[in-house]
Amino acid sequence: MSPELTDQTKKKIEEIASRYASKEAALLPVLHLVQHEKGFISQQEEKQVAHLLNIKPIKVKEVVTFYTMFNQKEVGKYHIQVCSNLSCSLLGSESLIDHLKNKLGIEIGETTSDKKFTLMTVECLGACEQAPCMMINFDYFGNLDKEKIDNILDNLE
Amino acid sequence: MAKILIDERECDVAEGTTILKAAESAGLQIPHLCYHKAFMPEGSCRMCLVEIEGLPKLELACSTQVRDGMKVSTKSESVIEARKGVLECLLADHPIDCPICDKAGECKLQDYYEEYGLFESEFNEEKEKRQKKIEIGKNLLHDQERCVLCRRCVRFLDEVTKTRELGVFQRGVHAEVATYDGILVDNNYSGNLAELCPVGAITDKDFRFKTRTWFLQSRESICTLCSRGCNIYVESHQGFSRFSLPKRVYRIQTRENQMINGFWICDKGRYDYSYLDQERLDKIVVNNSEDPQSWQEITSIVAGEIGRLFHMKRSSHIGLILQSWLSNEELFLIDKIFRNDINIGKISFLDPPEESSDDFLLTAERTPNRRGAKEIGFDLQPADWEKFLEDVDLLFVFASPIKGDTDFSPLKAALDKIEKTVLFASHNHEINSLFDMVLPMSLIAEKGGSLTNIVGSVQGFSPALDAPGNCKPAWQFLVDLAKKLMINFDFYNQFSSPESIREVMKKEIPYFREEHE
Amino acid sequence: MTDKILTQHFGLENLFKIDVYLENKGYEAAKKALTDMKADEILEEVKAANLRGRGGAGFPAGVKWGFVPKDIEKPKYLCVNADEGEPGTFKDRYIMTHNPHLLIEGIIITSFCVGIHTAFIYIRGEYEAVALRLEQAISEAYDKDFLGESILGTGFKLDVYVHRGAGAYICGEETALLESLEGKRGNPRLKPPFPASVGLFGCPTVINNVETVSNIPSIILNGAAWFCQVGLPKDGGTRIFGVSGMVKKPGIYELPVGTNLKEIIIKHAGGMMEGKKLKAVIPGGMSAPILTAEEIDISMDFDSLVEAKSMLGSAAIIVIDEETSMLDVLRRVTKFYSHESCGQCTPCRIGNSWINKIVKRMADGNGKREDLDKIIQLANNMMGKTLCPLGDAAAMPVLSIIQKFRKELESYIPLGN
Ligand SMILES: Cc1cc2nc3c(=O)[nH]c(=O)nc-3n(C[C@H](O)[C@H](O)[C@H](O)COP(=O)(O)O)c2cc1C
Ligand code: SF4
Ligand code: SF4
Ligand code: SF4
Ligand code: FES
Ligand code: FES
């Protein structure tokens, strides 16, 4: 992981910031970019972003800790987020979560020792018609059952 | 203007006033935590909900503006119910450690619990785990368990100091106020946070566990540590004799004055108060030992010395060195007696040197009344001391050498050669021993009078503390002295208080006649 | 003409591409609006259509636009609410994925009508793929002169940007959305002032849901009268009902406003899953008070549901079966709101967490007699008393579930407790 943001990212940040009446408004898109590049947002990134957008680092942390999608620590290569909200749980998400815990040997919020998988539960993903569903990184997987999950996971590098 | 009814009480207030302010003007307090006069209403604590006739929901008193004919109830059943609901929630998330909390006695939460009898919590679940006693500033400790998330502190650091050392992290019930990356609150106004916090979540280490708030007497005064003249409360154990306490003053608090300091004071004004108690000179000292003579006798001696030179037409050999710790009234008297009546040759100022100022309240001047001295007509330029002291036979120095910040070295060598030297001082200081006579003076906090701040506002003050030992206010001494001198007896005989002096001063000096308050 | 307005062409392959969209009357409404109509005329038409907001509150779109001050120096903004966080809701995703140009066309007309030159689509962060699709569509629209410096040579300028959220249900609330767009925590703002006068960057701002905006082109093309006739006079058009839970065919169904709930579940969504019996239905996203099996013979429009003490909300229908424990439903609901409270105001921040803790304890088999009343009291502490409507949104389902299923809930409390 390189400590500095790439020039390309920095350029992109400038471009994004120009859309808004205040540079600060670019914070969420910029954090997405940075997380995309770095995997998570550490204090170092908070400070870099703050510097680029000309705001105080404390404000970046306020934002990072407010939104659940920003990872404050490293996550696995595959970030599995299983929906535990109502429609999904009606259709058995709970047993799927147990299945995943067993299969990966980790609890919710943990990462496998090979850093391949992180398991989390999330609130409604906006795909309830495919309940139960989950996200792996940004890919949606719906109408899940145990076999399907096994299939999906086994096919991940 | 809008005519409204609050709890059957009629009040006329300007259109656009909030219900909370309107109620206050009618003498009704509406409970509130997040609202603070210095900031825009935030509407987050929900303590201030009131009922407005004709509206389906309760509305916020802190942000809702009055309209003509509005009928507001601050005590209806639904209002009380809502208020209790808020308190119950806060209580569920609060340690209720009032017995060991420095805020106890002036904590809004505690007041409200008491008012609504809510000390028994029905909360039987696991409390959130939060940190206690986190250092967030040189003088500040933060207790996250006690925090009610009113964000007053964050708004202060955002809007007033613009330093923003505190932020709110996480969300929902996990939301918490904290510093970032170990960077402490470090600005010259940090002490306001402890005062601003409505509960004991931010406490002042300077005050921590020193005493209980309810033992303190709070009296109005003016800060004298720079020339802003911030309005303050001096809080002390006044004549509290059960213990022999090492000091009287336990803290300085802000006093609102929109024309001078708004709601705030700087950390210097807040924390550098030890001078009020430490190293105080409270005895008459003659030839370096405590003197049994009374003030009356001393005054006669001083008057005799002056009279002697005056009648020998040697007034020009009397020297007078001043500092602008003196009030307007005192400077006025000095001007009258020494310049007008006796017409002494030499008057000069020896103020402490300027220090750094900031772009908010703190000024570079380290005495409170240079502007007053100027308006009375004094020249504030320090003299060429060698020349000044050359043929002085009788020297008076009014000085309040706090922490030795005035440079007395130009005087030192000369003092020995002058026939008679008299120092009017408030503190013990190495310079004192060089004077023949040292007379103990009251501080601004111990007397009445007025001061003129850097921008020319004239502010009256009255004693916030009793004068220690044998200390006397300078004005009192000056009046007594003038009467003893018998030069203009009737004029001085009319002065029995600083106010009576000010009345005359107003007549004689146009500046003080005008509205500068 | 079919009664489908938004999903009519969903069957077409590549509808999301501008060429296919154009072949199917795409951007004709925008052309008509920008070249043949005055802003006032558009506003009157939208007002007359009684297009009520599809985001949840059902506020008439035309009336809202009318609140925006006309002669003002400041820029004005449009924020399209694509946060879609209300549990059970997924309709906007379908519109944006399958018919993004319809939304863009709606944005053009809305902006032209209100005098807006910058629009943001605030889309929930999880919808990354959808955001990419929108961005592609936007770039196509720029290429074809439907966006940019001078749209279709009319001199009307409009830029549209996609702005992604990052995981916070509260950012669907319009003022939290504005804060979030400004790069801050999603803390709702105190109202007044309302966004129409003080919104994004302190400027007048219109905030509308994706579905609301997507209805605009058809109103312009076919007229308000037609629109009302499709739906109800006071609640025009269709709704995209999103059905999920224990039905055979979960999915979206675009039907006229006022379609019967029972009909939607049984006829359109295929009825209950094999061997399941209907126990309760949440008719308008999780925030809507629950309906029992006996209460579902009801017209799905704003007013009828209010009358039944529930709400149409986002028209997301969650169907619950007999085997599901209402305590479990309550646990999901309270966990959600406790997790999503922004934490700004006391009754919501602490109340929701407290309720959730009690329910969790009950679900663990340690319920006590007094628990349900305590929950009711805490919910009442929020109802109508919080800074933003999330307090109500949290209280309503909880109160209705306890009221309607109290016996069942009590049965989970161990005897003697
Ligand atoms: C807690 C909360 C969450 C909301 N979430 C959404 C949402 O995800 N999408 C949406 O369009 N409106 C949402 N709303 C409603 C918006 O505040 C707002 O009313 C709506 O975007 C206005 O658009 P409309 O009039 O077109 O419906 C939410 C409201 C609340 C109180
Ligand atoms: S620390 Fe005090 S002032 Fe700051 S948010 Fe907490 S209670 Fe309010
Ligand atoms: S700014 Fe000056 S007057 Fe005000 S508190 Fe500080 S030192 Fe005292
Ligand atoms: S009701 Fe809840 S979500 Fe809304 S402002 Fe208050 S704490 Fe935040
Ligand atoms: S409940 Fe799981 S996606 Fe909506
Ligand atoms: S004082 Fe009004 S909400 Fe806090």
Side-chain angles (χ1 to χ4, degrees), chain B residues 44 46 172, chain C residues 170 173 186-189 337 340-349 352 382 386-392:
Chain B
S44 64
R46 318 304 290 178
Chain C
I170 190 58
E173 193 282 330
N187 289 335
R189 297 177 182 169
Y337 289 107
E340 300 300 335
S341 162
C342 83
Q344 223 184 165
C345 67
T346 316
C348 169
R349 175 178 75 244
N352 275 314
M382 290 194 274
T386 52
L387 200 162
C388 88
L390 186 129
D392 290 10

PDB file of all heavy atoms in Angstrom, chain B residues 44 46 172, chain C residues 170 173 186-189 337 340-349 352 382 386-392, ligand 4:
ATOM      1  N   SER B  44     -31.755  20.179  19.263  1.00  0.00           N
ATOM      2  CA  SER B  44     -31.451  18.762  19.379  1.00  0.00           C
ATOM      3  C   SER B  44     -31.790  18.135  20.724  1.00  0.00           C
ATOM      4  O   SER B  44     -32.080  16.952  20.778  1.00  0.00           O
ATOM      5  CB  SER B  44     -29.981  18.515  19.041  1.00  0.00           C
ATOM      6  OG  SER B  44     -29.162  19.149  19.965  1.00  0.00           O
ATOM      7  N   ARG B  46     -34.326  18.705  22.763  1.00  0.00           N
ATOM      8  CA  ARG B  46     -35.785  18.558  22.847  1.00  0.00           C
ATOM      9  C   ARG B  46     -36.332  18.818  24.258  1.00  0.00           C
ATOM     10  O   ARG B  46     -37.428  18.373  24.589  1.00  0.00           O
ATOM     11  CB  ARG B  46     -36.249  17.169  22.366  1.00  0.00           C
ATOM     12  CG  ARG B  46     -35.568  16.662  21.122  1.00  0.00           C
ATOM     13  CD  ARG B  46     -35.655  17.565  19.944  1.00  0.00           C
ATOM     14  NE  ARG B  46     -36.972  17.679  19.336  1.00  0.00           N
ATOM     15  CZ  ARG B  46     -37.227  18.475  18.306  1.00  0.00           C
ATOM     16  NH1 ARG B  46     -36.271  19.222  17.806  1.00  0.00           N
ATOM     17  NH2 ARG B  46     -38.433  18.547  17.800  1.00  0.00           N
ATOM     18  N   GLY B 172     -25.781   7.751  16.223  1.00  0.00           N
ATOM     19  CA  GLY B 172     -26.765   7.106  17.081  1.00  0.00           C
ATOM     20  C   GLY B 172     -26.312   7.149  18.526  1.00  0.00           C
ATOM     21  O   GLY B 172     -25.661   8.101  18.961  1.00  0.00           O
TER      22      GLY B 172
ATOM     23  N   ILE C 170     -30.500   7.695   7.251  1.00  0.00           N
ATOM     24  CA  ILE C 170     -31.006   9.022   7.565  1.00  0.00           C
ATOM     25  C   ILE C 170     -30.761  10.001   6.416  1.00  0.00           C
ATOM     26  O   ILE C 170     -31.454  10.999   6.278  1.00  0.00           O
ATOM     27  CB  ILE C 170     -30.398   9.546   8.895  1.00  0.00           C
ATOM     28  CG1 ILE C 170     -31.109  10.823   9.374  1.00  0.00           C
ATOM     29  CG2 ILE C 170     -28.907   9.794   8.773  1.00  0.00           C
ATOM     30  CD1 ILE C 170     -32.596  10.663   9.592  1.00  0.00           C
ATOM     31  N   GLU C 173     -33.566  11.374   4.414  1.00  0.00           N
ATOM     32  CA  GLU C 173     -34.340  12.526   4.917  1.00  0.00           C
ATOM     33  C   GLU C 173     -33.762  13.763   4.233  1.00  0.00           C
ATOM     34  O   GLU C 173     -32.549  13.936   4.166  1.00  0.00           O
ATOM     35  CB  GLU C 173     -34.199  12.603   6.437  1.00  0.00           C
ATOM     36  CG  GLU C 173     -35.177  13.533   7.121  1.00  0.00           C
ATOM     37  CD  GLU C 173     -34.817  15.006   7.010  1.00  0.00           C
ATOM     38  OE1 GLU C 173     -33.619  15.321   6.935  1.00  0.00           O
ATOM     39  OE2 GLU C 173     -35.719  15.849   6.968  1.00  0.00           O
ATOM     40  N   GLY C 186     -24.583  13.184   8.255  1.00  0.00           N
ATOM     41  CA  GLY C 186     -25.980  13.300   7.855  1.00  0.00           C
ATOM     42  C   GLY C 186     -26.897  13.649   9.000  1.00  0.00           C
ATOM     43  O   GLY C 186     -27.813  12.909   9.330  1.00  0.00           O
ATOM     44  N   ASN C 187     -26.657  14.786   9.610  1.00  0.00           N
ATOM     45  CA  ASN C 187     -27.542  15.241  10.675  1.00  0.00           C
ATOM     46  C   ASN C 187     -28.646  16.117  10.089  1.00  0.00           C
ATOM     47  O   ASN C 187     -28.343  17.161   9.525  1.00  0.00           O
ATOM     48  CB  ASN C 187     -26.775  16.077  11.705  1.00  0.00           C
ATOM     49  CG  ASN C 187     -25.842  15.248  12.554  1.00  0.00           C
ATOM     50  OD1 ASN C 187     -26.056  14.042  12.725  1.00  0.00           O
ATOM     51  ND2 ASN C 187     -24.803  15.865  13.068  1.00  0.00           N
ATOM     52  N   PRO C 188     -29.898  15.707  10.254  1.00  0.00           N
ATOM     53  CA  PRO C 188     -30.984  16.544   9.727  1.00  0.00           C
ATOM     54  C   PRO C 188     -30.924  17.958  10.293  1.00  0.00           C
ATOM     55  O   PRO C 188     -30.432  18.177  11.396  1.00  0.00           O
ATOM     56  CB  PRO C 188     -32.240  15.818  10.209  1.00  0.00           C
ATOM     57  CG  PRO C 188     -31.821  14.401  10.339  1.00  0.00           C
ATOM     58  CD  PRO C 188     -30.403  14.460  10.824  1.00  0.00           C
ATOM     59  N   ARG C 189     -31.419  18.896   9.493  1.00  0.00           N
ATOM     60  CA  ARG C 189     -31.425  20.291   9.935  1.00  0.00           C
ATOM     61  C   ARG C 189     -32.755  20.635  10.585  1.00  0.00           C
ATOM     62  O   ARG C 189     -33.783  20.055  10.252  1.00  0.00           O
ATOM     63  CB  ARG C 189     -31.250  21.211   8.732  1.00  0.00           C
ATOM     64  CG  ARG C 189     -29.935  21.059   8.018  1.00  0.00           C
ATOM     65  CD  ARG C 189     -29.907  21.985   6.801  1.00  0.00           C
ATOM     66  NE  ARG C 189     -28.668  21.821   6.049  1.00  0.00           N
ATOM     67  CZ  ARG C 189     -28.470  22.330   4.845  1.00  0.00           C
ATOM     68  NH1 ARG C 189     -29.433  23.031   4.253  1.00  0.00           N
ATOM     69  NH2 ARG C 189     -27.323  22.149   4.220  1.00  0.00           N
ATOM     70  N   TYR C 337     -33.748   0.975  13.482  1.00  0.00           N
ATOM     71  CA  TYR C 337     -33.810   2.405  13.828  1.00  0.00           C
ATOM     72  C   TYR C 337     -32.742   2.792  14.846  1.00  0.00           C
ATOM     73  O   TYR C 337     -32.219   3.902  14.818  1.00  0.00           O
ATOM     74  CB  TYR C 337     -35.213   2.782  14.312  1.00  0.00           C
ATOM     75  CG  TYR C 337     -36.194   2.758  13.161  1.00  0.00           C
ATOM     76  CD1 TYR C 337     -37.135   1.750  13.040  1.00  0.00           C
ATOM     77  CD2 TYR C 337     -36.126   3.721  12.154  1.00  0.00           C
ATOM     78  CE1 TYR C 337     -38.004   1.695  11.966  1.00  0.00           C
ATOM     79  CE2 TYR C 337     -36.987   3.675  11.067  1.00  0.00           C
ATOM     80  CZ  TYR C 337     -37.923   2.661  10.982  1.00  0.00           C
ATOM     81  OH  TYR C 337     -38.764   2.617   9.902  1.00  0.00           O
ATOM     82  N   GLU C 340     -29.759   3.330  12.834  1.00  0.00           N
ATOM     83  CA  GLU C 340     -29.791   4.417  11.853  1.00  0.00           C
ATOM     84  C   GLU C 340     -30.044   5.801  12.445  1.00  0.00           C
ATOM     85  O   GLU C 340     -29.972   6.791  11.725  1.00  0.00           O
ATOM     86  CB  GLU C 340     -30.827   4.122  10.767  1.00  0.00           C
ATOM     87  CG  GLU C 340     -30.555   2.837   9.982  1.00  0.00           C
ATOM     88  CD  GLU C 340     -29.209   2.844   9.249  1.00  0.00           C
ATOM     89  OE1 GLU C 340     -28.702   3.942   8.943  1.00  0.00           O
ATOM     90  OE2 GLU C 340     -28.668   1.750   9.007  1.00  0.00           O
ATOM     91  N   SER C 341     -30.371   5.870  13.717  1.00  0.00           N
ATOM     92  CA  SER C 341     -30.534   7.188  14.341  1.00  0.00           C
ATOM     93  C   SER C 341     -29.236   7.975  14.162  1.00  0.00           C
ATOM     94  O   SER C 341     -28.154   7.445  14.380  1.00  0.00           O
ATOM     95  CB  SER C 341     -30.817   7.012  15.834  1.00  0.00           C
ATOM     96  OG  SER C 341     -30.579   8.227  16.517  1.00  0.00           O
ATOM     97  N   CYS C 342     -29.372   9.217  13.779  1.00  0.00           N
ATOM     98  CA  CYS C 342     -28.147   9.990  13.566  1.00  0.00           C
ATOM     99  C   CYS C 342     -27.497  10.347  14.898  1.00  0.00           C
ATOM    100  O   CYS C 342     -26.324  10.652  14.964  1.00  0.00           O
ATOM    101  CB  CYS C 342     -28.425  11.241  12.745  1.00  0.00           C
ATOM    102  SG  CYS C 342     -29.032  12.648  13.696  1.00  0.00           S
ATOM    103  N   GLY C 343     -28.296  10.328  15.960  1.00  0.00           N
ATOM    104  CA  GLY C 343     -27.738  10.595  17.281  1.00  0.00           C
ATOM    105  C   GLY C 343     -27.828  12.032  17.708  1.00  0.00           C
ATOM    106  O   GLY C 343     -27.316  12.413  18.759  1.00  0.00           O
ATOM    107  N   GLN C 344     -28.463  12.833  16.902  1.00  0.00           N
ATOM    108  CA  GLN C 344     -28.504  14.251  17.237  1.00  0.00           C
ATOM    109  C   GLN C 344     -29.459  14.552  18.392  1.00  0.00           C
ATOM    110  O   GLN C 344     -29.105  15.259  19.318  1.00  0.00           O
ATOM    111  CB  GLN C 344     -28.970  15.016  15.993  1.00  0.00           C
ATOM    112  CG  GLN C 344     -28.203  16.258  15.754  1.00  0.00           C
ATOM    113  CD  GLN C 344     -28.736  17.050  14.569  1.00  0.00           C
ATOM    114  OE1 GLN C 344     -28.391  18.183  14.442  1.00  0.00           O
ATOM    115  NE2 GLN C 344     -29.560  16.489  13.716  1.00  0.00           N
ATOM    116  N   CYS C 345     -30.661  14.043  18.319  1.00  0.00           N
ATOM    117  CA  CYS C 345     -31.605  14.458  19.356  1.00  0.00           C
ATOM    118  C   CYS C 345     -31.912  13.354  20.360  1.00  0.00           C
ATOM    119  O   CYS C 345     -31.898  12.167  20.046  1.00  0.00           O
ATOM    120  CB  CYS C 345     -32.849  15.102  18.756  1.00  0.00           C
ATOM    121  SG  CYS C 345     -33.901  14.040  17.808  1.00  0.00           S
ATOM    122  N   THR C 346     -32.185  13.796  21.561  1.00  0.00           N
ATOM    123  CA  THR C 346     -32.228  12.893  22.711  1.00  0.00           C
ATOM    124  C   THR C 346     -33.238  11.747  22.591  1.00  0.00           C
ATOM    125  O   THR C 346     -32.858  10.583  22.773  1.00  0.00           O
ATOM    126  CB  THR C 346     -32.514  13.702  23.996  1.00  0.00           C
ATOM    127  OG1 THR C 346     -31.715  14.880  23.968  1.00  0.00           O
ATOM    128  CG2 THR C 346     -32.208  12.887  25.212  1.00  0.00           C
ATOM    129  N   PRO C 347     -34.514  12.029  22.339  1.00  0.00           N
ATOM    130  CA  PRO C 347     -35.482  10.928  22.400  1.00  0.00           C
ATOM    131  C   PRO C 347     -35.203   9.831  21.382  1.00  0.00           C
ATOM    132  O   PRO C 347     -35.448   8.658  21.642  1.00  0.00           O
ATOM    133  CB  PRO C 347     -36.822  11.612  22.085  1.00  0.00           C
ATOM    134  CG  PRO C 347     -36.589  13.070  22.223  1.00  0.00           C
ATOM    135  CD  PRO C 347     -35.138  13.310  21.960  1.00  0.00           C
ATOM    136  N   CYS C 348     -34.677  10.207  20.223  1.00  0.00           N
ATOM    137  CA  CYS C 348     -34.393   9.221  19.178  1.00  0.00           C
ATOM    138  C   CYS C 348     -33.083   8.506  19.463  1.00  0.00           C
ATOM    139  O   CYS C 348     -32.998   7.287  19.385  1.00  0.00           O
ATOM    140  CB  CYS C 348     -34.372   9.902  17.813  1.00  0.00           C
ATOM    141  SG  CYS C 348     -33.734   8.904  16.458  1.00  0.00           S
ATOM    142  N   ARG C 349     -32.060   9.268  19.804  1.00  0.00           N
ATOM    143  CA  ARG C 349     -30.746   8.672  20.049  1.00  0.00           C
ATOM    144  C   ARG C 349     -30.818   7.621  21.145  1.00  0.00           C
ATOM    145  O   ARG C 349     -30.385   6.481  20.974  1.00  0.00           O
ATOM    146  CB  ARG C 349     -29.735   9.754  20.454  1.00  0.00           C
ATOM    147  CG  ARG C 349     -28.378   9.208  20.836  1.00  0.00           C
ATOM    148  CD  ARG C 349     -27.389  10.312  21.180  1.00  0.00           C
ATOM    149  NE  ARG C 349     -27.615  10.919  22.482  1.00  0.00           N
ATOM    150  CZ  ARG C 349     -27.955  12.177  22.675  1.00  0.00           C
ATOM    151  NH1 ARG C 349     -28.125  12.982  21.655  1.00  0.00           N
ATOM    152  NH2 ARG C 349     -28.146  12.652  23.892  1.00  0.00           N
ATOM    153  N   ASN C 352     -34.447   4.944  20.908  1.00  0.00           N
ATOM    154  CA  ASN C 352     -34.372   3.796  20.002  1.00  0.00           C
ATOM    155  C   ASN C 352     -33.428   2.724  20.513  1.00  0.00           C
ATOM    156  O   ASN C 352     -33.701   1.529  20.380  1.00  0.00           O
ATOM    157  CB  ASN C 352     -33.943   4.251  18.606  1.00  0.00           C
ATOM    158  CG  ASN C 352     -35.127   4.721  17.797  1.00  0.00           C
ATOM    159  OD1 ASN C 352     -36.161   4.062  17.765  1.00  0.00           O
ATOM    160  ND2 ASN C 352     -34.992   5.867  17.160  1.00  0.00           N
ATOM    161  N   MET C 382     -40.945   9.733  21.483  1.00  0.00           N
ATOM    162  CA  MET C 382     -40.377  10.141  20.195  1.00  0.00           C
ATOM    163  C   MET C 382     -41.438  10.735  19.284  1.00  0.00           C
ATOM    164  O   MET C 382     -41.184  11.680  18.550  1.00  0.00           O
ATOM    165  CB  MET C 382     -39.768   8.924  19.481  1.00  0.00           C
ATOM    166  CG  MET C 382     -38.524   8.386  20.108  1.00  0.00           C
ATOM    167  SD  MET C 382     -37.690   7.268  18.980  1.00  0.00           S
ATOM    168  CE  MET C 382     -38.512   5.734  19.336  1.00  0.00           C
ATOM    169  N   THR C 386     -39.375  14.655  17.919  1.00  0.00           N
ATOM    170  CA  THR C 386     -37.960  14.632  17.540  1.00  0.00           C
ATOM    171  C   THR C 386     -37.656  15.689  16.476  1.00  0.00           C
ATOM    172  O   THR C 386     -38.556  16.292  15.915  1.00  0.00           O
ATOM    173  CB  THR C 386     -37.561  13.239  17.017  1.00  0.00           C
ATOM    174  OG1 THR C 386     -38.490  12.855  16.007  1.00  0.00           O
ATOM    175  CG2 THR C 386     -37.557  12.229  18.135  1.00  0.00           C
ATOM    176  N   LEU C 387     -36.376  15.854  16.240  1.00  0.00           N
ATOM    177  CA  LEU C 387     -35.944  16.897  15.312  1.00  0.00           C
ATOM    178  C   LEU C 387     -36.361  16.594  13.877  1.00  0.00           C
ATOM    179  O   LEU C 387     -36.745  17.472  13.130  1.00  0.00           O
ATOM    180  CB  LEU C 387     -34.416  17.026  15.409  1.00  0.00           C
ATOM    181  CG  LEU C 387     -33.763  18.307  14.915  1.00  0.00           C
ATOM    182  CD1 LEU C 387     -32.373  18.416  15.503  1.00  0.00           C
ATOM    183  CD2 LEU C 387     -33.664  18.382  13.416  1.00  0.00           C
ATOM    184  N   CYS C 388     -36.262  15.342  13.490  1.00  0.00           N
ATOM    185  CA  CYS C 388     -36.656  14.981  12.128  1.00  0.00           C
ATOM    186  C   CYS C 388     -37.657  13.839  12.206  1.00  0.00           C
ATOM    187  O   CYS C 388     -37.864  13.250  13.254  1.00  0.00           O
ATOM    188  CB  CYS C 388     -35.417  14.605  11.307  1.00  0.00           C
ATOM    189  SG  CYS C 388     -34.959  12.869  11.420  1.00  0.00           S
ATOM    190  N   PRO C 389     -38.280  13.511  11.093  1.00  0.00           N
ATOM    191  CA  PRO C 389     -39.340  12.483  11.152  1.00  0.00           C
ATOM    192  C   PRO C 389     -38.846  11.071  11.432  1.00  0.00           C
ATOM    193  O   PRO C 389     -39.665  10.162  11.539  1.00  0.00           O
ATOM    194  CB  PRO C 389     -39.972  12.547   9.761  1.00  0.00           C
ATOM    195  CG  PRO C 389     -39.478  13.796   9.128  1.00  0.00           C
ATOM    196  CD  PRO C 389     -38.173  14.121   9.762  1.00  0.00           C
ATOM    197  N   LEU C 390     -37.544  10.856  11.560  1.00  0.00           N
ATOM    198  CA  LEU C 390     -37.113   9.495  11.861  1.00  0.00           C
ATOM    199  C   LEU C 390     -37.675   9.023  13.204  1.00  0.00           C
ATOM    200  O   LEU C 390     -37.951   7.844  13.391  1.00  0.00           O
ATOM    201  CB  LEU C 390     -35.583   9.350  11.858  1.00  0.00           C
ATOM    202  CG  LEU C 390     -35.119   7.899  12.031  1.00  0.00           C
ATOM    203  CD1 LEU C 390     -34.131   7.505  10.958  1.00  0.00           C
ATOM    204  CD2 LEU C 390     -34.527   7.630  13.395  1.00  0.00           C
ATOM    205  N   GLY C 391     -37.850   9.953  14.114  1.00  0.00           N
ATOM    206  CA  GLY C 391     -38.435   9.589  15.406  1.00  0.00           C
ATOM    207  C   GLY C 391     -39.808   8.963  15.219  1.00  0.00           C
ATOM    208  O   GLY C 391     -40.105   7.896  15.768  1.00  0.00           O
ATOM    209  N   ASP C 392     -40.623   9.612  14.414  1.00  0.00           N
ATOM    210  CA  ASP C 392     -41.954   9.069  14.120  1.00  0.00           C
ATOM    211  C   ASP C 392     -41.846   7.753  13.365  1.00  0.00           C
ATOM    212  O   ASP C 392     -42.561   6.796  13.644  1.00  0.00           O
ATOM    213  CB  ASP C 392     -42.756  10.051  13.250  1.00  0.00           C
ATOM    214  CG  ASP C 392     -43.148  11.297  14.015  1.00  0.00           C
ATOM    215  OD1 ASP C 392     -42.652  11.479  15.141  1.00  0.00           O
ATOM    216  OD2 ASP C 392     -43.941  12.100  13.487  1.00  0.00           O
TER     217      ASP C 392
HETATM  218  S1  SF4 D   4     -34.952  12.060  15.127  1.00  0.00           S
HETATM  219 FE1  SF4 D   4     -33.214  10.681  15.166  1.00  0.00          FE
HETATM  220  S2  SF4 D   4     -32.414  10.765  13.104  1.00  0.00           S
HETATM  221 FE2  SF4 D   4     -33.734  12.548  13.350  1.00  0.00          FE
HETATM  222  S3  SF4 D   4     -32.394  14.161  14.047  1.00  0.00           S
HETATM  223 FE3  SF4 D   4     -33.160  13.188  15.887  1.00  0.00          FE
HETATM  224  S4  SF4 D   4     -31.605  11.643  16.356  1.00  0.00           S
HETATM  225 FE4  SF4 D   4     -31.264  12.258  14.266  1.00  0.00          FE
END
